Amino acid sequence: MEKLVQQLVNGVTLGSVYALVALGYTMVYGIVGLINFAHGEVVMIGAMVATVVATALLVQSPEMAPLAVLALSLLVAAPVCMGVGWTAERVAYRPLRKAPRLSALITAIGVSIILQNGAMMIWGRGHLNFPRLFEPQVYAWGAVRVDSVQVAIVLIAAVIMALLLALVHRTNLGIAMRATAQNREVAGLMGINIDTVIAAAFLIGSALAAVAGLMVAVQYSLVNYYMGFLLGLKAFTAAVLGGIGNLGGAMLGGLLLGIIEAMASGYSGDLTGGVLGSHYQDVFAFVVLVLVLIFRPSGLVGQRSGDRA
């Protein structure tokens, strides 16, 4: 039972990161109908920029408070990610808005490759180490261990998700997003600036990617130029699992995928007699994707046009 609880804790922590990244996928898809496969690379750029900034701050001011280092790192990483997301939308995606979806999909893959190789040229092929700012406080209940970083990740993700839902359902921008998602042409005729709404979706999704990138850097302490590829695919799987185009579905899918991976990591070896170890946990994420696409393509929650954004 203690092992089960521990894996649930690990799964919720991992799933919170997946959910934040999946929200970026689902916002763009809900409005534009585009699967932005470059979104994982935006997360990677956020992690790399935050790592470089945090390291530079500690070199200049070794006594700086850890929270100040994290806040300043995010204040630099978020605008960089937002700039990358806005540029990709303006340069690569907007000219293809009326083109066949396959053209936009291939372009998104191309943007992903460009960003990945650009990051490799800037930061190199090796890993960057995010500085250890503090020793996490560990809370123990029997054999179950939860550290303060895990608690912070879950709480921050929950607050951001709540704020995003409030934005979509309680503000004029959110109304414009939902109207555009429902019918882009009619929304334009009603006076909504479609280009502004779509750009806002990319900017918000990129800001969420920066937060997720910082979370990954703090949690695992290692970042590299290719980390966004697998993370992006898993977040896309989470969005599909919950119901891509649905904000609540993206959150649910992220949490469920994180728990599925954690359970696979903890129990796959025992259930298969050691044939499949914990290093096969990535396989289970894509097995889930295949099963969802076969048996429930709309996802667990499905697409509710009124909630899409």
Side-chain angles (χ1 to χ4, degrees), residues 38 46 99 150 219 246 255 290:
Q150 290 177 300
Q219 176 74 358
N246 185 289
L255 291 174
V290 172

Side-chain angles (χ1 to χ4, degrees), residues 93-156:
Y93 302 141
R94 188 176 297 185
L96 298 174
R97 198 172 291 169
K98 296 182 180 180
R101 288 193 178 187
L102 182 60
S103 300
L105 179 63
I106 294 173
T107 299
I109 295 173
V111 172
S112 172
I113 294 172
I114 291 171
L115 293 178
Q116 188 177 121
N117 283 272
M120 181 185 68
M121 293 172 64
I122 295 172
W123 292 294
R125 294 177 176 270
H127 290 77
L128 297 184
N129 294 294
F130 192 88
R132 194 173 184 83
L133 300 175
F134 50 84
E135 193 65 33
Q137 184 176 353
V138 178
Y139 309 96
W141 292 274
V144 179
R145 298 288 187 272
V146 183
D147 63 50
S148 54
V149 172
Q150 290 177 300
V151 174
I153 287 174
V154 174
L155 291 179
I156 291 172

Side-chain angles (χ1 to χ4, degrees), residues 237 240-243 286-300:
T237 301
V240 173
L241 174 61
F286 299 109
V287 169
V288 169
L289 175 60
V290 172
L291 293 176
V292 170
L293 290 176
I294 292 174
F295 295 107
R296 193 173 176 84
S298 62
L300 298 178

Side-chain angles (χ1 to χ4, degrees), residues 15-24 39 156-157 160-161 205 208-209 211-212 215:
S16 297
V17 177
Y18 288 161
L20 282 180
V21 184
L23 285 170
H39 192 62
I156 291 172
I160 290 175
M161 292 175 197
L208 296 179
V211 176
M215 288 179 173

Side-chain angles (χ1 to χ4, degrees), residues 27-38:
M27 287 182 68
V28 171
Y29 181 83
I31 293 176
V32 190
L34 167 70
I35 300 174
N36 181 21
F37 278 120

